[in-house]
Amino acid sequence: MVAQELRAHGHKLYYYDNRKQGEVDYLVDNHQTMSAHPIEVKSGKDYTAHSALNNLLKNPEYNVLAATVISNERRVCQDGKVTYMPVYFVMFMDSDTPQTDEEENIF
């Protein structure tokens, strides 16, 4: 559901998986800051545990300025570079530059 909503709002989705750093559910482009914006989806109560996301934020080579964790929690809050938001807030994450896949233009 989260991927479908992000795509509906113009985001081109990427997946990140690295043996040393860990895996992150989605990466979207942030064209304003010329960086990637990682998005992690959590379903349990321990939504603040996200070691791979922390590894991305700590690595200066990646230039990741902010991240989002989407969970079943009903409040929005921020802790450092990480914004926590409810799953139903995904509909407000519009892409600053709409993107289309070339495959979508094939008849």
Side-chain angles (χ1 to χ4, degrees):
M1 178 188 86
V2 172
Q4 188 174 9
E5 190 70 27
L6 288 169
R7 288 290 295 141
H9 288 275
H11 292 284
K12 192 169 184 179
L13 303 177
Y14 300 94
Y15 173 74
Y16 177 83
D17 188 12
N18 181 303
R19 287 184 187 205
K20 291 181 183 178
Q21 303 288 333
E23 69 85 25
V24 174
D25 295 328
Y26 307 107
L27 290 176
V28 296
D29 289 327
N30 184 332
H31 297 283
Q32 293 175 347
T33 61
M34 299 298 289
S35 65
H37 184 94
I39 300 172
E40 188 71 23
V41 181
K42 297 288 192 173
S43 60
K45 292 185 179 197
D46 198 15
Y47 62 94
T48 58
H50 39 70
S51 60
L53 198 60
N54 292 340
N55 290 337
L56 279 177
L57 290 168
K58 284 192 278 187
N59 191 333
E61 292 178 19
Y62 293 146
N63 191 35
V64 176
L65 305 176
T68 301
V69 173
I70 298 167
S71 71
N72 292 328
E73 183 66 28
R74 295 183 181 222
R75 63 186 182 102
V76 176
C77 64
Q78 189 158 358
D79 182 14
K81 295 180 177 182
V82 180
T83 301
Y84 298 92
M85 66 176 59
V87 68
Y88 54 85
F89 269 46
V90 174
M91 69 178 137
F92 300 116
M93 295 183 72
D94 282 333
S95 173
D96 54 355
T97 304
Q99 300 177 21
T100 58
D101 290 335
E102 291 178 19
E103 295 81 18
E104 292 177 351
N105 297 324
I106 298 174
F107 297 104

